[in-house]
Amino acid sequence: MSQGDKSKYTDKQKRQAEHIEESYEKRGLSEPEAERRAWATVNKQDGGGKKGGSGHD
């Protein structure tokens, strides 16, 4: 089961996480661990969900 709110992520980030998760599962990781690692990877690459606000990148 998913942890946390994924609605703040872009469609691209969600697709990336799905592909990463599938790759981990093919290597023999359990689904929950694969999902956790996939989202950790997306967060590390992109710094989290959608950016917004006034003048912040």
Side-chain angles (χ1 to χ4, degrees), residues 2 22 27 33-34 38 49 55:
S2 293
E22 288 172 8
R27 295 184 208 173
E33 180 63 12

Side-chain angles (χ1 to χ4, degrees), residues 6-49:
K6 304 293 190 263
S7 67
K8 296 289 184 186
Y9 290 90
T10 65
D11 287 340
K12 180 180 177 184
Q13 289 169 317
K14 291 174 185 176
R15 284 193 311 272
Q16 284 178 321
E18 183 64 31
H19 288 295
I20 295 166
E21 181 180 347
E22 288 172 8
S23 176
Y24 278 127
E25 288 175 5
K26 285 180 184 177
R27 295 184 208 173
L29 265 68
S30 67
E31 187 175 337
E33 180 63 12
E35 182 179 18
R36 186 192 69 76
R37 289 189 186 190
W39 283 107
T41 302
V42 170
N43 285 332
K44 185 175 182 180
Q45 290 174 343
D46 297 336

